[in-house]
Amino acid sequence: VGSEMCIRDSQYGVHRSMGQLGFDVNFGDKAQDFVARFEHGHGLLNMAPRNRILMSRYQRDMIEAARRRLTPDQAELLKCLYIGTVFPNFSIVSYPGFLSIRVWQPIGANKTEIVSSGLVPADAPDAVVSNSKRLLCRYFSPTGMLEQDDIEVWEECQRGISGAERNRRTVSYALPKRPVEALAHLPGDLSAIPSEHANFGFFARWHQLMRKE
């Protein structure tokens, strides 16, 4: 399920190609790397920035304005990357330089339509708008580097679970159990990544709704 993937995007290694380009993709070694599980199936994956981020004066001013409304602990997360899903099919992708939202709409057996939109502030300078569009197209568009990695995985997963062999085997959830904790300055139950804690919350909510008459 694409929307469920947006709360566990750190688990597979297909983005290693980004590492070959010089990006640090080794997650799980910083306090800001965590998965948050919320009530009603919502989830969030937060990752600390590991590479030098070039921001415009406009973006720096926005961060400083936000920092004044937050606690010190919350403000430390302002430059992080985060991917999350509002159950069941609304996701958000925030990387330095651009913000994207998407709706996952099933349109038939083995078919899902993805409606993806980029967001920028209404008063953003033209240069910021242009740069945001360029980054979104480069990474999270039908031809984007990261999007193509993801789509290949989704297609192969769907092909695998549709075969005869899948009906004779159980699905393995082999990730180790990780401690879950609640922090006063952050909502939800948090666990270090990689973790399937939020994924189980997503499907627990799904199962709850499917069982209702």
Side-chain angles (χ1 to χ4, degrees):
V1 180
S3 56
E4 174 255 351
M5 187 281 303
C6 282
I7 54 179
R8 63 177 177 92
D9 194 38
S10 66
Q11 291 182 16
Y12 50 82
V14 295
H15 296 326
R16 287 290 172 180
S17 58
M18 298 301 295
Q20 296 174 354
L21 295 176
F23 290 84
D24 185 349
V25 293
N26 296 304
F27 301 113
D29 62 340
K30 292 191 176 183
Q32 293 177 337
D33 295 333
F34 60 82
V35 170
R37 172 174 170 172
F38 307 105
E39 293 183 0
H40 309 301
H42 314 314
L44 176 74
L45 169 65
N46 195 87
M47 295 169 284
R50 286 171 164 71
N51 301 283
R52 187 183 178 203
I53 300 173
L54 298 177
M55 290 187 293
S56 66
R57 175 64 181 271
Y58 177 83
Q59 291 169 313
R60 291 196 297 268
D61 289 345
M62 284 186 62
I63 288 178
E64 288 306 313
R67 191 182 298 276
R68 291 193 290 269
R69 299 194 297 270
L70 301 173
T71 67
D73 288 328
Q74 292 170 336
E76 287 299 312
L77 303 178
L78 281 173
K79 294 182 181 180
C80 290
L81 296 69
Y82 59 88
I83 308 169
T85 286
V86 177
F87 183 90
N89 66 333
F90 178 85
S91 299
I92 183 169
V93 179
S94 176
Y95 273 57
F98 72 87
L99 176 65
S100 172
I101 59 173
R102 56 182 55 188
V103 175
W104 311 82
Q105 182 61 49
I107 57 175
N110 301 321
K111 292 183 179 180
T112 299
E113 179 183 66
I114 306 172
V115 181
S116 179
S117 304
L119 302 181
V120 292
D123 63 346
D126 290 343
V128 172
V129 175
S130 178
N131 186 59
S132 178
K133 181 178 180 180
R134 178 177 59 84
L135 292 174
L136 183 58
C137 290
R138 177 181 294 176
Y139 295 111
F140 284 98
S141 70
T143 58
M145 289 186 288
L146 299 183
E147 195 76 86
Q148 289 186 77
D149 286 345
D150 290 337
I151 289 175
E152 182 177 357
V153 170
W154 301 334
E155 290 178 342
E156 291 301 320
C157 286
Q158 187 66 20
R159 186 176 295 113
I161 64 176
S162 300
E165 187 66 22
R166 166 64 185 91
N167 294 327
R168 295 193 289 266
R169 299 179 182 274
T170 58
V171 177
S172 173
Y173 287 87
L175 279 180
K177 272 195 170 184
R178 294 177 176 271
V180 176
E181 61 179 325
L183 300 179
H185 64 284
L186 294 173
D189 293 329
L190 310 183
S191 57
I193 62 174
S195 170
E196 292 174 333
H197 182 58
N199 305 72
F200 284 119
F202 180 97
F203 284 114
R205 177 59 173 166
W206 188 315
H207 185 253
Q208 179 188 41
L209 294 176
M210 293 297 288
R211 293 188 63 184
K212 286 188 175 182
E213 297 182 356

